[in-house]
């Protein structure tokens, strides 16, 4: 085809337009580039430790640590402070009774280890406490509930499992103010050692005493041990592992509001922004929303405390679960402290679970128990079916028909007694549910006349 | 072949001579009619009686001219028995003699070999024979050689040579013969001008080395004679005149150029004759000397000589097997060691003096020419300065001011460490050392070939005498200025100075520099700087512009060079160049009737292939595991690169937004680009249309890449947009040029108004886009990204550097997007971690390959930590000799802070530095296999639970890629924390230790009964030097051809 110059130029211009148009069409009609998943290695190295606290200084306690695999995979467990060989766990668990004043690092090889510790105190008084061993040491820890008022003896237990010294600042978040004592501004925690702080020595007669621990150097694991001997309420002790994160929601399956018993909810707001918090109570029969606990303002850098018995104004729903929600999205930390009086006696305190999960591990809630139960709260919109299995130090896990195919309606709580298995303790209870729930385990010892609770450890990892 | 003999009976004098040795004189002639007569006459006049003469015509091209050579011989050898032979083709001096002796029965006592341009004094042969008979060891005797035209001027009295076979006369230029050198005695060699040889020795040595053809064959023969235990003597009382016709170019010869034959024959001679151990030292030195000489020839502006030297090396390389076989034969007859011969060789300093003296005239001539050139250019510069007065000067001043303002954060900041613009090493030669090293210590270690980018970058620290910060600033400034110059010259052939200036400024302040600096995309900057030169050559080769004096060869060489420099940093650039070739050639083919044949496409495509070839052997591994193209196209990695194209498509390219640029500035480009099409005429309009077609093609490529329709050709839209950005700059230049050159001829007032309005709008957009960016100093590395500032990186590097004295050889792991690249580049793939040495990341780390077992295992450790399955990453990282971990505070740091065997050294607001105390040494001696390595190998950290690491001692670094321990004893195990490679060897007391492991690292068993000095070294593969020679030769040839002043087809073409 013979073309003159103009037509040739038109042809090239057309070609340019076609190319540009093709690009536009490809861009519009072609597949959209998606986020690229980072390639993961096929076989990962699996080795993690769980850190278990020592008893606070100037106390005398018998300790029991239970540790087991968090999955169905076999696990090799080693105790860092122990010279003995590592123990292979298939579906059984490991129970130890270490000395009282040494923290432990329980190391799981080949799988995640789930560990909890029970402490039976003889000094300062007979009391029972239990708590989870902490899987992740960190730089920041919160404890919403605390008190230096008369009758309370609050200790912080700081453990530094890392090779470098840690230095932490302990701040108090009270009703209206955040305060850091100069003597607690730089608390050294040497590598591999435990430091125990008696908070009553630093601040007197503060009824509401939230605590924030911030490491300016290094990392620690932190627990709180609170001995309560308050007039008008049962005495007891509580071991509470700290949490390093805030959340807009906190769930507490276990609670009691009854004559002589009370559940106190403490909310700590470590952030600068004010939080608005609503506390809901889930009874066995109904959900109660105390009007006084709707949109409660918790200023930034403060903490607050609410007694359910007081806000319910004489209403005694008995066993309850509690849900704490931040309605303006500002993350808070919440803790529930329960004084028992009735079948169970004593005192316990736990930081809640921030998320529901389908799988939970619940360590043994104390030593020489006379009562043992798992309490579940279904916070979802659909009923859940769940099984509980008990892993023991020997043999196959206990699966009982009374622990299988249990139903829990949406928004309800359910208490499952494990009393018939008390002889086999120590145990780790595993809850597997069809829908996300929150699980807590509660134990009672007549010998110590005290109750201990352990918040479930989610097994999502 | 022709043969004839004289028929005259021997006379009485001859009969009397029977008792004395018989001689056969062989005169080799090649186009030497001019001198042959004198030669024959001098032979005829010899006082020595018993001599026959055989003239061998080495296929002279003038042999049939009247009178014929045979007739000349006959005429002038009436008193001698003579013969005449003609070789079927030119065989060279030695080859012709060998050929002759294979056909003639030479039952004589001595052979006399003669050039045809030699005339002997009457008693010369007699004196030579006497000298020969005096010492039975003597196998060769040569005469004193004087000038053909002036017998008082000496040419040679025996020859010496240096260790590389370079001849040394020991005479001054034009030295008068006063008998000062008349001491008969042994010499290293005598030239083939005239030499008396014992036939027995000659035959035993298998004659001349016929492959040498011309030059240095005499050195080779004498050297062999000496090795066989015989002597070579010079007899000064025997005098001959020599015209030196061949070396002086006074006769035509098939063996030209002389320098090529001289160099190649010397290398072969050395290779054959030098003793084994000495050869190992000499050959690399010879090669290096040749390379130095090549550089010298660049200074002398003699690219042809460079080509000759390159050919010489190549010839020897190709014939290496044959030379080796020859060497075996030579060494078999060796009776004396080299040290005996050293008495007759000259020292290197003497040789250098002689060389410099010899080259003095050439140097003076070259520098004289250079001075003239400088003077010419100074004149041009004055003219240019004069022309820069007026608006162009103001514009230039504003552009320079903009450069200073916009880039102010570069000029006054610590070394940049963003993307692949990385700090230069502290020592000026480190990058070059890294390039030439067979083992690369970056990452987990890798064997060569090294990326040529290292050598190219290595120029800058040398220029700043090791000032690393200044080198980096110089690099960026150079890229900017080169980009300006390139774009300026790109449109030189089609527009006036204003248009060129507009193109240069638009390109320099445009997208490539803006996005490249902000993203730390050094590859894009280099590609951007080289692209205008490649496109200029391409435009010429395709036929768009061919100014007078244009040379296809030179343009091809320049395109090879520009493409190679681009591809050294952005390998995929070659595909974009190929796309440009196809589009511009295709558009030319359509637009210009009958133009743009196959050659127009093939020549630039060949240049692209040539660019790939001169990047060998590195470019040969682009597609192998971990290679830059393998990463771009790999199933697991290509999507990561494609993701970086998000937000870029065909529209963004056409609107000037790809690469990233101040948006309004980008919009000004298509506006002006369209104006170019509208107002330009003729060639300018056609070129503008072709450039728009090229823009369309790039737009299609970017859109296809962004949507995953095709795999990325280059790593990022910044790299992909280089050609587009350049096309826009050229369009701006064309528009300005057209406004000044075409518009006045077009009598359309509306068009003028349109032009004014469009330029006004575009200027407004450009200024409104650029001004805020200039005010902000937007040309800041890392600006607009979450990458850590250079000050922070510098601080961490200082901290790591301070640990070097305590722990000299450790690795540091940098984790998190804050340190690496927000946008991947060809040189630094998308990654959230990288390994460095004690000095942190540096320019030596670019193009690190993560491949093989080591990389997989290390990646597994990283993933284990980041996914929270382990809190003892320190022990696992320790297996890889990682002593420090640098993390940026934030969620990404959490899993690293969980690691209970990593000690926090410093936690600042911008970084956390953690120390790992449980690392294995870079090279260490252990009782048994390091436990942490075993844990890594078995993917089972439990093995570390029961045992502790038992390291006996660390080996001391002993130079590059070498570790040493004075006294090591077994039993034990040597473990080297470098990627497994058979090139690593451990030797105890010189005896190699067995390798016992094939996973990560290199392990060698130390037997229990052994003790001695332990050395761990990496042995370069045999091809290492050869490849470097190839690269050096190839680059020198291409550079030489690119800047050759000769007109013609050029060397490469």
């Amino acid at each position: 085809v013979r073309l003159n110059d103009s037509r040739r130029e038109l042809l090239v211009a057309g070609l340019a337009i076609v190319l540009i148009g093709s690009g536009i069409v490809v861009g519009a009609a072609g597949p959209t580039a998606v986020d690229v998943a980072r390639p993961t290695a096929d076989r990962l190295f699996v080795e993690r430790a769980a850190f278990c606290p020592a008893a606070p200084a100037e106390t005398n306690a018998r300790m029991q640590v239970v540790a087991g695999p968090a999955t169905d995979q076999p696990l090799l467990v080693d105790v860092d402070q122990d010279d003995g060989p590592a123990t292979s766990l298939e579906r059984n668990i490991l129970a130890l009774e270490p000395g009282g004043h040494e923290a432990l690092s329980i190391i799981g090889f080949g799988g995640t280890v789930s560990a909890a510790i029970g402490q039976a105190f003889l000094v300062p008084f007979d009391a029972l406490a239990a708590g989870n061993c902490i899987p992740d040491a960190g730089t920041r820890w919160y404890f919403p509930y605390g008190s230096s008022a008369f009758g309370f003896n609050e200790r912080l237990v700081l453990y530094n499992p890392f090779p470098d010294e840690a230095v932490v600042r302990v701040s108090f978040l009270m009703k209206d103010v955040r305060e850091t004592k100069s003597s607690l501004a730089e608390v050294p925690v040497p590598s591999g050692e435990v430091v125990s702080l008696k908070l009553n020595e630093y601040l007197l007669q503060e009824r509401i005493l939230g605590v924030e621990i911030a490491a300016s150097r290094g990392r620690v694991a932190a627990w709180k041990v609170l001995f309560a001997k308050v007039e008008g309420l049962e005495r007891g002790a509580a071991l509470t592992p700290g949490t390093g994160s805030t959340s807009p929601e906190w769930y507490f399956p276990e609670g009691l509001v009854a004559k002589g018993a009370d559940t106190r909810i403490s909310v700590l707001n470590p952030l600068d922004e004010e939080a608005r918090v609503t506390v809901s109570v889930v009874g066995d029969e109904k959900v109660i929303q105390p009007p006084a606990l709707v949109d409660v303002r918790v200023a930034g850098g403060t903490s607050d405390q609410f007694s359910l018995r007081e806000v319910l104004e004489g209403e005694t729903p008995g066993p309850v679960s509690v849900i704490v929600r931040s309605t303006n999205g500002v993350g808070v930390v919440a803790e529930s402290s329960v004084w028992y009086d009735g079948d169970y006696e004593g005192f316990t305190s736990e930081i809640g679970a921030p998320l529901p999960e389908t799988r939970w591990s619940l360590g043994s809630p104390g030593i020489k128990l006379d009562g043992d139960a798992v309490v579940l709260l279904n916070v979802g919109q659909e009923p859940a079916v769940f099984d509980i299995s008990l892993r023991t130090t020997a043999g196959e896990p206990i699966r009982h028909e009374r622990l299988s195919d249990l139903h829990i309606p949406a928004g309800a709580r359910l208490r499952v007694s494990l009393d018939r298995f008390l002889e086999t303790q120590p145990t780790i209870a595993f809850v597997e549910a069809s829908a996300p729930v929150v699980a807590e385990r509660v134990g009672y010892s007549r010998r110590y006349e005290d109750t201990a609770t352990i918040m479930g450890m989610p097994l999502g990892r | 072949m022709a043969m004839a003999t004289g028929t005259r009976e021997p006379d009485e004098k001859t009969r009397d001579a029977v008792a004395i040795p018989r001689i056969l004189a062989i005169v080799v002639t090649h186009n030497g009619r001019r001198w042959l007569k004198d030669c024959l006459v001098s032979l005829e006049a010899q006082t020595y009686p018993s001599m026959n003469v055989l003239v061998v015509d080495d296929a002279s091209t003038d042999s049939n001219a009247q009178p014929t050579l045979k007739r000349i011989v006959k005429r002038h050898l009436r008193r001698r028995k003579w013969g005449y032979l003609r070789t079927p083709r030119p065989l060279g001096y030695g080859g012709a003699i060998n050929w002759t002796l294979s056909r003639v029965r030479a039952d004589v006592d001595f052979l006399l070999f003669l050039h045809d341009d030699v005339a002997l004094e009457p008693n010369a042969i007699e004196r030579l024979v006497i000298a020969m008979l005096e010492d039975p060891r003597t196998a060769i005797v040569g005469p004193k050689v004087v000038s053909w035209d002036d017998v008082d001027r000496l040419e040679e009295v025996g020859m010496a040579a240096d260790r590389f076979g370079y001849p040394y006369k020991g005479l001054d230029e034009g030295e008068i013969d006063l008998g000062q050198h008349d001491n008969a005695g042994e010499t290293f060699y005598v030239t083939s001008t005239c030499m008396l040889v014992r036939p027995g020795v000659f035959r035993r040595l298998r004659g001349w080395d016929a492959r040498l053809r011309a030059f240095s064959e005499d050195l080779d023969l004498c050297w062999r004679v000496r090795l066989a235990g015989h002597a070579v003597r010079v007899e000064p009382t025997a005098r001959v005149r020599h015209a030196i016709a061949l070396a002086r170019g006074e006769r035509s010869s098939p063996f030209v150029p002389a320098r090529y034959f001289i160099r190649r024959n010397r290398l072969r001679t050395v290779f054959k004759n030098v003793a084994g151990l000495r050869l190992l030292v000499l050959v690399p030195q010879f090669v290096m000397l040749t390379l130095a000489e090549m550089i010298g020839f660049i200074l002398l502006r003699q690219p042809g000589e460079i080509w000759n030297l390159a050919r010489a090396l190549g010839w020897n390389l190709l014939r290496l097997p044959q030379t080796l076989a020859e060497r075996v034969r030579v060494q078999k007859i060796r009776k004396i060691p080299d040290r005996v011969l050293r008495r007759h060789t000259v020292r290197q300093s003497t040789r250098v003096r002689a060389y410099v003296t010899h080259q003095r005239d050439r140097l003076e001539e070259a520098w004289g020419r250079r001075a003239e050139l400088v003077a010419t250019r100074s004149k041009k510069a004055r003219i240019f300065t004069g022309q820069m007065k007026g608006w162009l000067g103001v514009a230039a001043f504003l552009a320079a001011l903009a450069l200073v303002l916009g880039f102010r954060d570069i000029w006054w900041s610590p070394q940049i460490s963003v993307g692949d613009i990385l700090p230069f090493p502290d020592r000026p030669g480190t990058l070059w050392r890294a390039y030439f090293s067979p083992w690369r210590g970056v990452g987990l270690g890798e064997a060569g070939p090294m990326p040529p980018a290292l050598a190219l970058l290595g120029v800058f620290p040398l220029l700043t005498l090791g000032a690393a910060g200044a080198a980096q600033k110089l690099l960026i400034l150079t890229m900017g200025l080169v980009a300006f110059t390139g774009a300026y010259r790109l449109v030189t052939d089609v527009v006036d100075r204003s248009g060129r200036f507009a193109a240069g400024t638009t390109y320099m302040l445009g997208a490539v520099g803006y996005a490249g600096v902000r993203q730390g995309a050094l590859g894009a900057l280099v590609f951007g700087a080289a692209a205008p030169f490649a496109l200029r050559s391409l435009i010429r080769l395709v036929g768009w512009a061919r100014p007078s004096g244009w040379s296809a060869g030179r343009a091809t060489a320049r395109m090879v060079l520009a493409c190679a420099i681009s591809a050294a940093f952005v390998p995929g650039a070659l595909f974009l160049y190929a796309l440009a070739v196809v589009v511009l050639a295709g558009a030319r083919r359509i637009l210009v009737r009958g133009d743009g044949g196959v050659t127009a496409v093939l020549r630039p495509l060949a240049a692209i292939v040539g660019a790939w070839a001169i990047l060998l052997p590195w470019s040969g591994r682009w597609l192998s595991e971990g290679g830059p193209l393998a990463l771009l196209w790999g199933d697991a990695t290509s999507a990561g690169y494609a993701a970086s194209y998000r937000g870029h498509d065909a529209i963004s390219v056409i609107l000037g937004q790809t690469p990233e640029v101040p948006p309004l500035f980008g919009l000004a480009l298509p506006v002006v680009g369209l104006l170019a099409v509208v107002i330009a005429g003729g060639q300018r309009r056609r070129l503008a249309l072709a450039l728009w077609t090229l823009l369309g093609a790039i737009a299609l490529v970017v859109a296809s890449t962004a949507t995953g329709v095709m795999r990325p050709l280059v790593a990022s839209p910044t790299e992909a947009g280089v050609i587009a950005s350049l096309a826009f700059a050229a369009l701006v230049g064309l528009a300005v040029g057209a406004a000044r050159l075409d518009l006045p001829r077009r009598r359309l007032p509306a068009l003028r108004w349109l032009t004014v309005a469009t330029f006004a709008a575009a200027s407004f957009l450009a200024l409104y886009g650029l001004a805020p960016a200039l005010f902000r100093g937007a040309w800041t590395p890392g600006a607009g990204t979450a990458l850590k500032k250079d000050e922070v990186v510098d601080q961490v590097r200082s901290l790591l550097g301070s640990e070097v004295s305590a722990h000299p050889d450790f690795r540091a792991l940098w984790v998190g997007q804050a340190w690496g690249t927000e946008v991947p580049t060809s040189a630094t793939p998308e990654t959230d971690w990288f390994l460095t040495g004690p000095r942190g990341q540096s320019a030596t780390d670019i193009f690190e390959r993560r491949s093989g077992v080591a990389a997989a295992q290390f990646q597994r450790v990283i993933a284990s930590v980041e996914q929270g399955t382990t809190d003892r990453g320190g022990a696992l990282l320790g297996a890889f000799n990682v002593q420090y971990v640098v993390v940026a505070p934030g969620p990404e740091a959490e899993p690293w802070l969980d690691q209970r065997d990593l000690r926090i050294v410093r936690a600042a607001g911008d970084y956390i530095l953690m120390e790992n105390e449980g690392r294995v040494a870079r090279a260490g001696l252990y009782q048994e296999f390091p436990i942490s390595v075993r844990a890594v190998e078995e993917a089972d950290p439990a093995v570390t639970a029961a045992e502790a690491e038992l390291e006996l001692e660390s080996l001391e670094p002993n130079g590059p890629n070498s570790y040493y321990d004075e006294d090591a004893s077994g039993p034990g195990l040597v473990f080297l924390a470098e990627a497994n490679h058979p090139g690593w060897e451990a030797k105890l007391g010189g005896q190699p230790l067995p390798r016992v492991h094939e996973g990560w690292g290199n392990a060698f068993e130390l037997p229990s009964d052994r003790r001695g000095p332990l050395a761990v070294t990496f042995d370069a593969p045999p091809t290492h030097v050869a490849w470097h020679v190839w690269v050096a030769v190839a680059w020198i040839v291409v550079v030489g051809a690119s800047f050759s002043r000769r007109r013609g087809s050029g060397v490469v073409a």
Side-chain angles (χ1 to χ4, degrees), chain B residues 96 398 500 508 621 748 762 957 1004:
Chain B
L398 288 177
R500 296 172 206 162
M508 183 180 66
R621 292 179 63 191
L748 288 170
F1004 306 92

Side-chain angles (χ1 to χ4, degrees), chain A residues 3 8-9 12 23 31 33-36 38 40 43-49 107 136-137 162-164 219, chain B residues 590 593 639 646 685 703 706-707 817 860 864 867-872 897-900 902-904 938 941:
Chain A
L3 297 173
R8 286 172 185 272
E9 288 178 2
V12 172
V34 292
D35 276 325
V36 184
R38 196 165 294 285
T40 55
R43 290 170 63 203
L44 298 178
F45 299 94
V46 184
E47 177 192 357
R48 279 201 78 95
I107 303 161
D136 302 309
F162 294 90
D164 48 325
R219 301 138 285 175
Chain B
I590 296 170
R593 200 176 304 154
R646 190 170 297 145
R685 185 211 285 268
T707 50
Q817 298 285 356
R860 184 184 298 165
S864 301
Q867 294 180 31
T869 62
T870 183
D871 60 3
R872 230 159 68 89
L897 290 171
D898 282 350
Q899 305 306 306
R900 60 198 158 88
L902 291 179
R903 186 169 72 87
I904 297 176
E938 296 170 16

Side-chain angles (χ1 to χ4, degrees), chain B residues 1-5 24 26-29 53-60 63 69-70 73 82-88 96-105:
Chain B
M1 179 177 69
M3 169 110 186
T5 55
L24 174 63
I26 300 178
V27 181
V28 180
T29 181
V53 180
L54 186 56
V55 176
V56 182
D57 174 15
D58 190 20
S60 295
S63 59
L69 282 180
K70 186 177 173 186
V73 174
W82 59 274
Y84 171 80
L85 289 169
R86 176 177 163 82
T87 62
I97 294 173
N98 284 358
W99 179 85
T100 304
L101 291 176
S102 69
R103 281 158 177 76
V104 175
R105 188 178 167 198

Side-chain angles (χ1 to χ4, degrees), chain B residues 156-281:
Chain B
E156 64 177 70
V157 192
M159 297 289 288
D162 73 355
R163 67 176 83 170
F164 303 115
Y166 284 80
Y168 178 66
K169 293 181 180 178
L171 303 176
D172 291 332
E173 188 70 27
E175 187 173 338
I176 304 294
D177 182 17
L178 299 170
Q180 67 273 36
H181 297 288
D182 287 358
N183 301 314
E186 285 196 31
T187 186
F188 188 72
Y189 79 101
V190 293
T191 60
S192 57
T193 308
C194 172
M195 55 164 63
L196 190 69
V197 180
R198 285 188 194 273
V201 176
F202 185 75
R203 287 200 190 92
R204 262 204 312 285
L205 297 178
R206 300 164 65 93
W208 298 93
D209 185 343
R211 284 180 182 269
L212 299 183
R213 295 283 189 258
F215 301 107
S216 298
E217 70 276 48
D218 38 20
L219 172 68
D220 174 68
L221 179 66
C222 293
W223 202 330
R224 283 185 284 138
V225 164
R226 286 201 153 275
L227 290 180
H230 302 283
V232 176
R233 299 173 66 87
V234 62
E235 179 50 56
T237 57
R239 200 161 72 152
V240 303
R241 291 187 296 138
H242 188 199
I244 319 179
L246 180 60
R248 289 179 177 163
E250 292 175 7
R251 75 163 111 207
S252 64
S253 164
F255 308 118
V256 287
R259 189 170 297 276
Y260 159 67
F261 281 95
I262 290 169
R263 295 308 163 102
R264 76 164 217 196
N265 292 353
R266 276 186 199 145
L267 181 56
R268 180 176 162 93
T269 302
V270 168
F271 204 89
K272 279 166 58 182
N273 297 310
V274 168
L277 282 175
R278 198 150 166 256
L279 187 65
L280 289 178
V281 181

Side-chain angles (χ1 to χ4, degrees), chain B residues 521-536:
Chain B
L522 176 63
L525 292 178
V526 176
F527 177 22
F533 296 95
L535 216 60
R536 184 178 186 230

Side-chain angles (χ1 to χ4, degrees), chain B residues 497-832:
Chain B
R497 182 171 288 105
S498 304
R500 296 172 206 162
F501 190 81
T505 309
T506 303
Y507 191 54
M508 183 180 66
L509 291 175
V512 177
Y514 184 83
V517 168
R518 286 164 70 89
Q519 294 165 4
L522 176 63
L525 292 178
V526 176
F527 177 22
F533 296 95
L535 216 60
R536 184 178 186 230
S537 298
L538 170 59
I539 281 174
R540 290 182 172 189
L541 288 170
V542 169
W544 284 104
R546 285 180 173 172
S548 63
W550 172 82
S551 151
R554 197 164 56 220
T556 308
R558 286 182 179 179
M559 186 163 173
V560 170
L561 192 62
C563 289
I565 291 172
S566 306
F569 290 84
V570 182
L574 295 186
F575 298 109
L576 296 180
Y577 284 132
L579 182 70
V581 170
V582 172
V583 171
L584 292 180
R588 175 92 187 152
R589 177 83 178 161
I590 296 170
L591 286 168
V592 183
R593 200 176 304 154
D595 198 356
V598 177
T599 320
V601 178
L602 286 185
R603 205 185 277 269
L605 286 179
I608 291 170
V609 174
W612 175 84
I614 67 170
L615 292 174
L616 282 171
W618 177 69
S619 55
R621 292 179 63 191
W622 284 352
L623 283 168
S624 63
E625 189 190 359
L629 292 185
L631 288 175
L632 282 174
W633 300 339
D635 291 336
T637 47
S638 71
Y641 289 101
S644 74
Y645 281 71
R646 190 170 297 145
H648 295 271
D649 53 21
I651 295 174
S652 73
V653 172
I654 297 306
L655 294 183
Q657 307 299 315
T658 297
E660 178 200 4
V661 72
L664 291 179
F665 178 81
L667 282 177
L669 302 176
V671 171
V672 181
L674 285 173
L675 182 69
V677 177
V678 174
I679 65 172
Q683 179 78 328
R684 273 182 284 277
R685 185 211 285 268
R686 288 193 286 272
L687 184 56
L689 282 171
L691 290 171
W692 270 105
T693 313
L694 181 58
L695 277 166
I698 297 289
L700 182 58
V701 167
V702 169
S704 304
T705 308
T707 50
V709 170
M710 65 180 280
R711 299 276 164 106
L713 297 177
V714 289
S716 70
T718 307
E719 293 174 354
V722 165
I723 300 286
S725 189
L726 185 58
F728 271 128
L731 282 170
V732 170
L734 285 174
V736 172
R740 291 169 60 84
L741 302 172
D742 296 332
L743 200 59
R745 286 185 299 204
R746 305 182 75 171
R747 300 172 185 228
L748 288 170
L751 207 55
R752 295 187 182 186
W753 283 111
L754 174 71
T755 305
V756 171
T758 306
F759 273 126
S763 302
F764 173 76
L765 287 172
L767 286 175
Y768 203 71
L770 275 181
L774 291 168
F775 183 73
R776 287 196 314 271
W779 283 260
T780 301
T785 69
L787 301 177
K788 289 291 175 201
K789 289 185 174 169
D790 301 327
E791 290 82 0
V792 178
V793 178
D794 201 44
Q795 198 175 347
V796 180
R797 293 178 71 231
S798 299
L799 276 173
L800 291 176
S802 65
E803 292 296 317
V804 173
S805 55
H807 312 285
D809 220 354
F810 62 79
R811 289 188 173 101
L813 172 67
W814 300 62
V815 187
Q817 298 285 356
W819 311 112
T821 55
E822 194 154 278
V823 178
T825 69
S826 296
T828 50
E830 190 204 19
T831 177
D832 60 353

